[in-house]
Amino acid sequence: MIQRFIELGEGYSDLYELIETAKANRHRLMHLMAIHTKIADKEVSSLVVVLMPTNPGGFQALYVCREGIPNPHVLKNKRFDLFAELAAELDKTIIEFDAKPSSIFPEKELYYQHLIGILRLNHYIPPLQ
């Protein structure tokens, strides 16, 4: 199985694409997630749409708007509210957790591998088979 983060942007206009991706794939939607972190002195969040693996093919897409949305527990904002409305519409609970910022990794791919490890360990996504 291949599990890959697909970065759409930082959560400005690309947030609407993330929302539409979840709606269009509601039959494959596994999770909606908010990953909170701190970059410099800013509390930010990444929003993630996790789809079930394809069958056949075994490809699992994790669409992400990376670290561009204010953490809603620190600063209430409309962008996170839109994501919360999506969760209500699709009858999903937003899974929230804290993680290290991508800026501490020398390559973005290493950051995403770190997150995939966290998601596997917590049984949010399936292990490699």
Side-chain angles (χ1 to χ4, degrees):
M1 175 180 316
I2 298 170
Q3 294 160 323
R4 184 165 299 137
F5 275 91
I6 300 170
E7 188 172 316
L8 299 177
E10 295 181 350
Y12 296 98
S13 60
D14 48 277
L15 174 64
Y16 298 102
E17 180 64 21
L18 184 71
I19 289 169
E20 288 302 315
T21 298
K23 287 180 181 179
N25 290 286
R26 66 181 67 214
H27 62 288
R28 288 185 53 217
L29 184 62
M30 184 179 257
H31 301 297
L32 298 176
M33 300 183 157
I35 303 170
H36 308 297
T37 194
K38 187 173 187 175
I39 299 176
D41 289 333
K42 294 179 81 174
E43 299 280 346
V44 295
S45 300
S46 299
L47 300 181
V48 184
V49 169
V50 181
L51 300 181
M52 289 185 218
T54 59
N55 186 12
F59 178 84
Q60 185 168 29
L62 298 94
Y63 292 92
V64 62
C65 292
R66 183 177 51 92
E67 301 174 348
I69 297 167
N71 183 325
H73 303 295
V74 175
L75 179 64
K76 190 163 174 58
N77 64 88
K78 182 64 176 163
R79 288 182 284 164
F80 189 86
D81 290 346
L82 290 170
F83 198 66
E85 289 169 15
L86 171 71
E89 178 184 333
L90 299 178
D91 197 28
K92 293 286 186 183
T93 300
I94 299 172
I95 298 167
E96 299 186 55
F97 61 93
D98 295 333
K100 296 177 182 179
S102 63
S103 58
I104 69 165
F105 294 86
E107 297 175 23
K108 220 179 335 179
E109 190 60 34
L110 294 174
Y111 169 67
Y112 288 132
Q113 288 302 317
H114 170 72
L115 290 182
I116 285 172
I118 291 170
L119 297 177
R120 285 181 188 152
L121 280 171
N122 287 285
H123 304 285
Y124 292 126
I125 60 175
L128 289 179
Q129 297 174 0

